[in-house]
Amino acid sequence: MTMTVRDLRPQDPADVEAFAHVRHLAVPFMLWTPAGVLHRLVHTDPDAHYRCLVTEEDGEVTGTAQIGLAHDSPEPGQGYLNIYVRPDRIRRGAGALLVRTAEEHLAAHGATRLFSWVLDEPQNRVFAERRDYRPSRSAHFLRLDLTNGTLPPLQPLPPGVELRTAADFADDPRPFFELDAETTGDEPSDVEAELTDYEAWIEETWKHPLLDRALTTIAVVDGRPAAFSAAHTDGAGRYATAMTGTARAFRGRGLAKLAKNASLHRARAAGCTEAFTGNDAGNEPMLAINKWFGYEIRATEVRHVRELA
Protein backbone atom coordinates (compact mmCIF):
# COMPACT_ATOMS: atom_id res chain seq x y z
CA MET A 1 0.00 0.00 0.00
CA THR A 2 1.30 3.45 -0.96
CA MET A 3 -0.45 6.44 0.63
CA THR A 4 0.25 9.95 -0.66
CA VAL A 5 -1.31 13.39 -0.19
CA ARG A 6 -1.57 16.11 -2.82
CA ASP A 7 -3.67 19.05 -3.94
CA LEU A 8 -6.82 18.47 -5.91
CA ARG A 9 -6.25 18.91 -9.65
CA PRO A 10 -8.93 21.40 -10.73
CA GLN A 11 -8.19 20.91 -14.43
CA ASP A 12 -8.87 17.16 -14.15
CA PRO A 13 -12.64 16.48 -14.18
CA ALA A 14 -12.12 12.91 -12.97
CA ASP A 15 -10.15 14.14 -9.96
CA VAL A 16 -12.84 16.67 -9.00
CA GLU A 17 -15.51 13.99 -9.47
CA ALA A 18 -13.57 11.64 -7.18
CA PHE A 19 -13.35 14.35 -4.50
CA ALA A 20 -17.11 14.97 -4.64
CA HIS A 21 -17.82 11.23 -4.61
CA VAL A 22 -15.78 10.64 -1.45
CA ARG A 23 -17.58 13.52 0.23
CA HIS A 24 -20.97 12.14 -0.78
CA LEU A 25 -20.11 8.71 0.63
CA ALA A 26 -18.83 10.18 3.90
CA VAL A 27 -21.49 12.87 4.39
CA PRO A 28 -24.57 12.03 2.28
CA PHE A 29 -26.62 14.72 4.03
CA MET A 30 -24.84 17.54 2.19
CA LEU A 31 -24.86 18.39 -1.51
CA TRP A 32 -21.54 17.53 -3.11
CA THR A 33 -21.13 18.12 -6.81
CA PRO A 34 -17.97 18.60 -8.90
CA ALA A 35 -19.21 22.05 -9.92
CA GLY A 36 -19.68 23.08 -6.29
CA VAL A 37 -16.25 21.79 -5.24
CA LEU A 38 -14.56 23.53 -8.14
CA HIS A 39 -16.44 26.79 -7.60
CA ARG A 40 -15.27 27.07 -4.01
CA LEU A 41 -11.69 26.24 -4.93
CA VAL A 42 -11.60 28.87 -7.69
CA HIS A 43 -13.55 31.67 -6.00
CA THR A 44 -12.49 31.60 -2.34
CA ASP A 45 -10.63 34.78 -1.42
CA PRO A 46 -6.83 34.41 -1.81
CA ASP A 47 -6.39 35.64 1.79
CA ALA A 48 -8.00 32.37 2.94
CA HIS A 49 -5.06 30.35 1.56
CA TYR A 50 -7.70 27.78 0.74
CA ARG A 51 -6.75 24.31 -0.50
CA CYS A 52 -8.50 21.06 -1.35
CA LEU A 53 -6.36 18.04 -0.51
CA VAL A 54 -6.78 14.39 -1.39
CA THR A 55 -5.06 11.21 -0.34
CA GLU A 56 -4.36 8.49 -2.86
CA GLU A 57 -3.87 4.85 -2.08
CA ASP A 58 -2.41 2.99 -5.04
CA GLY A 59 -3.94 5.56 -7.40
CA GLU A 60 -7.39 5.68 -5.77
CA VAL A 61 -8.68 8.83 -4.01
CA THR A 62 -9.57 7.75 -0.48
CA GLY A 63 -9.62 10.92 1.61
CA THR A 64 -10.38 14.62 1.23
CA ALA A 65 -9.77 17.86 3.08
CA GLN A 66 -10.89 21.46 2.69
CA ILE A 67 -8.61 23.80 4.60
CA GLY A 68 -8.15 27.54 4.93
CA LEU A 69 -8.17 30.65 7.09
CA ALA A 70 -11.36 32.43 8.17
CA HIS A 71 -10.40 35.52 6.19
CA ASP A 72 -13.82 37.17 6.72
CA SER A 73 -13.52 37.04 10.53
CA PRO A 74 -12.53 40.16 12.50
CA GLU A 75 -10.32 37.94 14.65
CA PRO A 76 -7.12 36.90 12.84
CA GLY A 77 -5.39 33.54 13.08
CA GLN A 78 -8.41 31.26 12.87
CA GLY A 79 -8.17 28.31 10.53
CA TYR A 80 -10.31 25.35 9.59
CA LEU A 81 -9.75 21.83 8.34
CA ASN A 82 -12.68 19.62 7.44
CA ILE A 83 -11.57 16.10 6.64
CA TYR A 84 -13.62 13.18 5.36
CA VAL A 85 -12.39 9.74 4.35
CA ARG A 86 -14.28 7.10 2.41
CA PRO A 87 -16.12 4.98 4.99
CA ASP A 88 -14.63 1.80 3.49
CA ARG A 89 -11.07 3.22 3.63
CA ILE A 90 -10.80 4.38 7.24
CA ARG A 91 -8.02 3.33 9.63
CA ARG A 92 -5.45 3.18 6.84
CA GLY A 93 -3.65 6.47 7.53
CA ALA A 94 -5.49 8.86 5.21
CA GLY A 95 -6.99 11.00 7.97
CA ALA A 96 -3.70 11.35 9.86
CA LEU A 97 -1.83 12.32 6.71
CA LEU A 98 -4.44 14.95 5.82
CA VAL A 99 -4.44 16.43 9.34
CA ARG A 100 -0.67 16.71 9.42
CA THR A 101 -0.50 18.36 6.00
CA ALA A 102 -3.37 20.73 6.81
CA GLU A 103 -1.89 21.82 10.14
CA GLU A 104 1.50 22.53 8.57
CA HIS A 105 -0.10 24.65 5.85
CA LEU A 106 -2.34 26.63 8.20
CA ALA A 107 0.37 27.23 10.80
CA ALA A 108 2.68 28.50 8.06
CA HIS A 109 0.07 31.12 7.21
CA GLY A 110 -0.41 32.36 10.76
CA ALA A 111 -3.17 30.18 12.17
CA THR A 112 -3.19 29.99 15.96
CA ARG A 113 -6.56 28.28 16.47
CA LEU A 114 -7.98 25.49 14.35
CA PHE A 115 -11.58 24.34 13.96
CA SER A 116 -12.77 21.06 12.52
CA TRP A 117 -16.20 19.45 12.16
CA VAL A 118 -16.11 15.80 13.22
CA LEU A 119 -18.91 13.29 12.73
CA ASP A 120 -20.27 12.31 16.15
CA GLU A 121 -19.10 8.72 16.12
CA PRO A 122 -16.76 7.23 18.75
CA GLN A 123 -13.85 6.49 16.41
CA ASN A 124 -13.96 9.99 14.92
CA ARG A 125 -14.05 11.76 18.26
CA VAL A 126 -11.18 9.64 19.60
CA PHE A 127 -9.19 10.43 16.44
CA ALA A 128 -9.68 14.17 16.97
CA GLU A 129 -9.07 14.22 20.71
CA ARG A 130 -5.84 12.23 20.37
CA ARG A 131 -4.59 15.13 18.25
CA ASP A 132 -5.47 17.72 20.90
CA TYR A 133 -8.77 18.80 19.36
CA ARG A 134 -11.40 19.46 22.00
CA PRO A 135 -15.18 19.37 21.39
CA SER A 136 -17.09 22.64 21.49
CA ARG A 137 -20.57 22.69 19.96
CA SER A 138 -22.58 20.28 17.86
CA ALA A 139 -24.98 20.49 14.93
CA HIS A 140 -27.47 18.10 13.40
CA PHE A 141 -27.98 17.04 9.81
CA LEU A 142 -31.71 16.79 9.08
CA ARG A 143 -33.53 15.18 6.15
CA LEU A 144 -37.05 15.67 4.82
CA ASP A 145 -38.73 13.21 2.46
CA LEU A 146 -40.39 15.41 -0.16
CA THR A 147 -41.88 12.45 -2.02
CA ASN A 148 -43.73 10.66 0.75
CA GLY A 149 -43.77 13.30 3.49
CA THR A 150 -46.46 15.91 4.10
CA LEU A 151 -45.48 19.57 4.14
CA PRO A 152 -47.37 22.05 6.31
CA PRO A 153 -49.98 23.93 4.25
CA LEU A 154 -49.03 27.31 2.87
CA GLN A 155 -50.09 30.07 5.25
CA PRO A 156 -51.85 33.32 4.25
CA LEU A 157 -49.41 36.20 3.99
CA PRO A 158 -49.72 39.01 6.55
CA PRO A 159 -50.66 42.46 5.25
CA GLY A 160 -47.77 44.19 3.51
CA VAL A 161 -45.80 40.95 3.05
CA GLU A 162 -45.04 39.33 -0.29
CA LEU A 163 -42.80 36.42 -1.23
CA ARG A 164 -40.33 36.83 -4.05
CA THR A 165 -37.56 34.65 -5.41
CA ALA A 166 -33.90 35.45 -5.80
CA ALA A 167 -34.52 35.46 -9.54
CA ASP A 168 -36.62 38.58 -9.02
CA PHE A 169 -33.43 40.34 -7.85
CA ALA A 170 -31.33 39.32 -10.85
CA ASP A 171 -30.96 42.90 -12.07
CA ASP A 172 -29.81 44.15 -8.66
CA PRO A 173 -28.91 41.52 -6.03
CA ARG A 174 -27.56 44.11 -3.57
CA PRO A 175 -30.70 44.17 -1.35
CA PHE A 176 -30.39 40.40 -1.00
CA PHE A 177 -26.69 40.77 -0.18
CA GLU A 178 -27.45 43.31 2.54
CA LEU A 179 -30.00 40.98 4.12
CA ASP A 180 -27.59 38.04 3.93
CA ALA A 181 -24.80 40.15 5.46
CA GLU A 182 -26.91 41.23 8.42
CA THR A 183 -28.17 37.75 9.24
CA THR A 184 -24.74 36.15 8.77
CA GLY A 185 -23.20 38.63 11.20
CA ASP A 186 -25.78 37.69 13.84
CA GLU A 187 -25.56 33.92 13.38
CA PRO A 188 -24.10 32.17 16.48
CA SER A 189 -20.76 30.61 15.63
CA ASP A 190 -17.34 29.80 17.05
CA VAL A 191 -15.87 32.06 14.38
CA GLU A 192 -17.45 35.45 13.76
CA ALA A 193 -17.94 36.34 10.11
CA GLU A 194 -18.53 39.65 8.40
CA LEU A 195 -19.87 40.00 4.86
CA THR A 196 -18.60 43.35 3.65
CA ASP A 197 -17.38 42.75 0.11
CA TYR A 198 -20.31 42.85 -2.31
CA GLU A 199 -18.28 41.85 -5.36
CA ALA A 200 -16.82 38.84 -3.51
CA TRP A 201 -20.33 37.83 -2.44
CA ILE A 202 -21.48 38.01 -6.05
CA GLU A 203 -18.72 35.62 -7.13
CA GLU A 204 -18.86 33.24 -4.16
CA THR A 205 -22.58 33.17 -3.28
CA TRP A 206 -24.74 34.70 -5.99
CA LYS A 207 -22.94 32.84 -8.80
CA HIS A 208 -22.59 29.58 -6.87
CA PRO A 209 -23.56 26.77 -9.27
CA LEU A 210 -25.87 25.13 -6.71
CA LEU A 211 -27.80 28.29 -5.80
CA ASP A 212 -31.32 27.81 -7.11
CA ARG A 213 -32.62 31.33 -7.63
CA ALA A 214 -36.09 30.10 -8.54
CA LEU A 215 -36.43 28.27 -5.20
CA THR A 216 -34.55 30.74 -3.00
CA THR A 217 -37.37 32.70 -1.38
CA ILE A 218 -37.31 36.20 0.10
CA ALA A 219 -40.03 37.71 2.28
CA VAL A 220 -40.44 41.38 1.41
CA VAL A 221 -42.21 43.77 3.80
CA ASP A 222 -43.43 47.03 2.30
CA GLY A 223 -40.80 46.69 -0.42
CA ARG A 224 -37.88 45.83 1.90
CA PRO A 225 -36.30 42.34 1.98
CA ALA A 226 -36.90 41.14 5.53
CA ALA A 227 -36.26 37.38 5.65
CA PHE A 228 -35.09 34.65 3.32
CA SER A 229 -34.44 30.97 2.80
CA ALA A 230 -31.62 30.25 0.35
CA ALA A 231 -31.90 26.99 -1.60
CA HIS A 232 -29.25 24.83 -3.22
CA THR A 233 -30.14 22.01 -5.60
CA ASP A 234 -27.92 19.47 -7.33
CA GLY A 235 -30.03 18.73 -10.41
CA ALA A 236 -30.63 15.18 -9.21
CA GLY A 237 -33.63 15.74 -6.96
CA ARG A 238 -31.73 16.85 -3.87
CA TYR A 239 -32.46 20.20 -2.19
CA ALA A 240 -30.63 21.85 0.70
CA THR A 241 -31.26 24.96 2.74
CA ALA A 242 -28.04 26.95 2.48
CA MET A 243 -29.08 29.72 4.88
CA THR A 244 -32.23 31.01 6.54
CA GLY A 245 -32.39 34.33 8.32
CA THR A 246 -34.39 37.41 9.25
CA ALA A 247 -33.31 41.04 9.53
CA ARG A 248 -33.26 42.30 13.12
CA ALA A 249 -36.17 44.70 12.66
CA PHE A 250 -38.49 41.91 11.49
CA ARG A 251 -37.74 39.05 13.87
CA GLY A 252 -40.48 37.29 15.79
CA ARG A 253 -43.03 37.50 12.96
CA GLY A 254 -42.48 34.08 11.39
CA LEU A 255 -41.30 35.51 8.07
CA ALA A 256 -38.39 33.10 7.57
CA LYS A 257 -40.76 30.22 8.30
CA LEU A 258 -43.12 31.50 5.59
CA ALA A 259 -40.24 31.82 3.12
CA LYS A 260 -38.87 28.36 3.84
CA ASN A 261 -42.28 26.70 3.60
CA ALA A 262 -42.95 28.35 0.24
CA SER A 263 -39.53 27.28 -1.02
CA LEU A 264 -40.11 23.67 0.03
CA HIS A 265 -43.51 23.56 -1.65
CA ARG A 266 -41.99 24.85 -4.90
CA ALA A 267 -39.09 22.43 -4.59
CA ARG A 268 -41.47 19.49 -4.37
CA ALA A 269 -43.45 20.79 -7.34
CA ALA A 270 -40.18 21.11 -9.30
CA GLY A 271 -39.39 17.43 -8.74
CA CYS A 272 -37.07 17.52 -5.73
CA THR A 273 -37.41 14.28 -3.76
CA GLU A 274 -35.48 15.01 -0.55
CA ALA A 275 -34.44 18.10 1.37
CA PHE A 276 -31.59 18.65 3.81
CA THR A 277 -30.84 21.31 6.38
CA GLY A 278 -28.57 21.90 9.34
CA ASN A 279 -29.55 22.75 12.90
CA ASP A 280 -27.36 23.85 15.78
CA ALA A 281 -27.95 21.27 18.50
CA GLY A 282 -28.48 23.99 21.07
CA ASN A 283 -31.10 25.85 19.04
CA GLU A 284 -34.22 24.10 20.26
CA PRO A 285 -36.68 26.64 18.78
CA MET A 286 -35.22 26.14 15.30
CA LEU A 287 -35.19 22.37 15.79
CA ALA A 288 -38.89 22.51 16.67
CA ILE A 289 -39.59 24.50 13.50
CA ASN A 290 -37.71 21.99 11.38
CA LYS A 291 -39.64 19.14 12.98
CA TRP A 292 -42.84 21.05 12.14
CA PHE A 293 -41.74 20.95 8.50
CA GLY A 294 -41.20 17.20 8.82
CA TYR A 295 -37.39 17.04 9.02
CA GLU A 296 -35.78 14.20 10.95
CA ILE A 297 -32.30 14.13 12.48
CA ARG A 298 -30.07 11.78 10.51
CA ALA A 299 -26.58 12.51 11.87
CA THR A 300 -24.66 14.89 14.14
CA GLU A 301 -21.32 16.61 13.85
CA VAL A 302 -19.26 18.08 16.69
CA ARG A 303 -17.01 21.05 16.14
CA HIS A 304 -13.58 20.55 17.64
CA VAL A 305 -11.00 23.20 18.45
CA ARG A 306 -7.23 23.08 18.78
CA GLU A 307 -5.04 25.92 20.05
CA LEU A 308 -1.69 26.17 18.28
CA ALA A 309 -0.38 29.06 20.36
Side-chain angles (χ1 to χ4, degrees):
M1 178 188 74
T2 302
M3 181 77 69
T4 59
V5 62
R6 60 170 173 80
D7 282 283
L8 179 69
R9 300 175 183 133
Q11 298 85 6
D12 183 351
D15 207 39
V16 181
E17 174 69 40
F19 186 102
H21 181 61
V22 169
R23 285 295 174 99
H24 176 71
L25 292 175
V27 198
F29 314 109
M30 299 178 70
L31 301 193
W32 299 106
T33 69
V37 170
L38 191 59
H39 180 85
R40 183 171 180 183
L41 181 60
V42 171
H43 292 288
T44 297
D45 191 294
D47 289 341
H49 300 287
Y50 179 77
R51 294 171 70 185
C52 288
L53 303 175
V54 300
T55 52
E56 280 188 326
E57 183 180 335
D58 298 330
E60 178 188 36
V61 173
T62 61
T64 64
Q66 290 173 305
I67 67 176
L69 298 177
H71 69 285
D72 54 357
S73 172
E75 183 179 349
Q78 301 187 92
Y80 58 87
L81 58 159
N82 293 318
I83 292 168
Y84 298 98
V85 177
R86 277 185 57 148
D88 58 348
R89 297 292 189 275
I90 61 174
R91 298 188 182 91
R92 299 162 76 104
L97 185 55
L98 287 166
V99 169
R100 184 167 64 250
T101 305
E103 289 179 344
E104 290 173 355
H105 169 77
L106 295 170
H109 288 284
T112 57
R113 179 182 297 135
L114 301 180
F115 295 89
S116 183
W117 284 106
V118 177
L119 286 169
D120 191 15
E121 298 172 1
Q123 66 270 24
N124 296 331
R125 298 189 66 160
V126 168
F127 176 89
E129 291 165 17
R130 283 178 177 171
R131 289 162 175 79
D132 297 324
Y133 287 82
R134 296 293 174 257
S136 58
R137 64 186 183 91
S138 58
H140 301 305
F141 291 113
L142 293 88
R143 178 185 180 273
L144 170 62
D145 185 343
L146 288 175
T147 300
N148 301 307
T150 301
L151 289 172
L154 293 172
Q155 303 297 310
L157 298 180
V161 176
E162 59 179 321
L163 296 179
R164 299 181 186 173
T165 70
D168 295 327
F169 291 82
D171 291 338
D172 180 17
R174 186 176 286 275
F176 183 27
F177 160 74
E178 292 171 351
L179 176 59
D180 191 13
E182 180 178 337
T183 56
T184 296
D186 290 345
E187 187 178 26
S189 176
D190 295 308
V191 181
E192 293 184 24
E194 296 179 343
L195 292 183
T196 58
D197 189 332
Y198 175 64
E199 296 303 326
W201 179 88
I202 287 290
E203 294 299 321
E204 296 175 16
T205 301
W206 182 253
K207 294 183 179 180
H208 195 288
L210 299 187
L211 179 67
D212 194 316
R213 297 181 192 176
L215 298 183
T216 294
T217 304
I218 302 167
V220 177
V221 179
D222 297 327
R224 176 184 170 184
F228 74 102
S229 185
H232 280 188
T233 56
D234 66 356
R238 291 158 57 88
Y239 165 109
T241 302
M243 175 69 174
T244 299
T246 306
R248 300 179 196 104
F250 298 97
R251 289 174 187 163
R253 297 169 58 176
L255 297 175
K257 191 175 179 181
L258 284 172
K260 187 168 183 175
N261 197 23
S263 180
L264 287 168
H265 275 268
R266 288 203 309 276
R268 184 174 62 183
C272 293
T273 58
E274 55 184 346
F276 300 94
T277 194
N279 200 125
D280 191 288
N283 190 342
E284 290 296 332
M286 192 66 230
L287 185 59
I289 290 173
N290 281 321
K291 288 183 177 179
W292 176 78
F293 282 120
Y295 284 94
E296 297 179 346
I297 296 173
R298 300 305 299 270
T300 301
E301 278 194 317
V302 180
R303 195 158 200 180
H304 283 65
V305 185
R306 182 186 176 191
E307 303 290 341
L308 293 182

